[in-house]
Amino acid sequence: KEGIPTHYVQEINDRDTFVKKVEIVPLEVIIRNVAAGHFTLRMGVPEGTEFKTPILEFSYKNDDLHDPFINHYYALALGLATQEEIDTITKYAFKINEVLKKILLDANIRLIDFKVEFGRLSDGTIILADEISPDTCRFWDATTGAHLDKDLFRRNLGGEADAYQEVMKRLLG
Ligand code: TMP
């Protein structure tokens, strides 16, 4: 509805979804609105610092190298994506951010950051090909700042199941 093509076709049951087959572009595309996670470690900026503008970041999807941080010149030089694909991915990523921020704020949730991946259909069309969930985003309660995402697990704080259910309840009613 918002002009971002996705791989989604149909939900079959709680655990299975039909999606379009793609060749994944080997980039983790991260958008950050507020400092957290690796950004705070890398840049020494306190967690919770709101950025003047959203940040787009690329990592190279490579487990052996632990998904290293790269810029778009790396992606071009290594043939991971073309300039046109990077432009499309960048446009979609910022648009996804705007759409998600609004949906979440209506549920009193702040979108701190998130990661998405994109894929190519057989004709080369770039589409969003990922889940969007508390596993792949940072969600903070807009009033209390409570974490409603995987950081509860990553930081061994507990309560992740309740937090995930809370996000689902707020979004789906
Ligand atoms: P980071 O601060 O650890 O780089 O994470 C930024 C966002 O990306 C955060 O919302 C979690 C998400 N993420 C993933 O979904 N998968 C990953 O492998 C990583 C490193 C981050």
Side-chain angles (χ1 to χ4, degrees):
K1 276 190 240 157
E2 301 285 350
I4 301 146
T6 80
H7 66 166
Y8 179 82
V9 178
Q10 188 191 349
E11 209 148 282
I12 308 164
N13 58 46
D14 277 357
R15 292 186 176 274
D16 302 291
T17 307
F18 273 129
V19 295
K20 291 179 187 160
K21 185 174 178 176
V22 295
E23 175 192 45
I24 282 287
V25 177
L27 295 173
E28 298 211 332
V29 182
I30 293 171
I31 296 273
R32 301 181 187 275
N33 297 304
V34 176
H38 280 104
F39 186 92
T40 61
L41 298 175
R42 201 159 44 227
M43 299 301 292
V45 173
E47 183 164 88
T49 306
E50 181 122 19
F51 300 130
K52 292 182 177 30
T53 58
I55 294 172
L56 176 136
E57 214 177 274
F58 293 124
S59 297
Y60 173 35
K61 263 175 75 69
N62 184 315
D63 285 339
D64 292 340
L65 299 173
H66 310 293
D67 301 340
F69 184 66
I70 61 169
N71 65 28
H72 81 275
Y73 291 104
Y74 282 57
L76 290 174
L78 296 174
L80 307 179
T82 64
Q83 184 65 59
E84 195 186 348
E85 288 174 337
I86 289 169
D87 291 345
T88 303
I89 286 171
T90 300
K91 183 180 76 178
Y92 287 161
F94 281 121
K95 176 74 180 175
I96 292 165
N97 188 42
E98 291 313 311
V99 171
L100 279 185
K101 270 199 307 193
K102 187 175 176 317
I103 292 170
L104 289 158
L105 210 52
D106 287 347
N108 206 40
I109 295 169
R110 264 178 102 196
L111 178 60
I112 306 305
D113 55 32
F114 63 93
K115 183 274 304 177
V116 281
E117 296 175 26
F118 293 85
R120 297 179 189 99
L121 293 175
S122 55
D123 69 357
T125 306
I126 291 286
I127 64 172
L128 173 65
D130 210 348
E131 66 173 280
I132 293 174
S133 80
D135 275 351
T136 60
C137 305
R138 286 196 173 90
F139 295 145
W140 293 358
D141 182 285
T143 307
T144 66
H147 293 222
L148 300 169
D149 57 55
K150 195 175 174 182
D151 272 351
L152 294 167
F153 171 77
R154 292 190 193 98
R155 299 177 186 188
N156 210 14
L157 297 169
E160 52 270 27
D162 287 344
Y164 282 36
Q165 301 243 6
E166 175 67 22
V167 171
M168 188 162 73
K169 198 170 75 193
R170 288 195 203 181
L171 291 176
L172 304 180

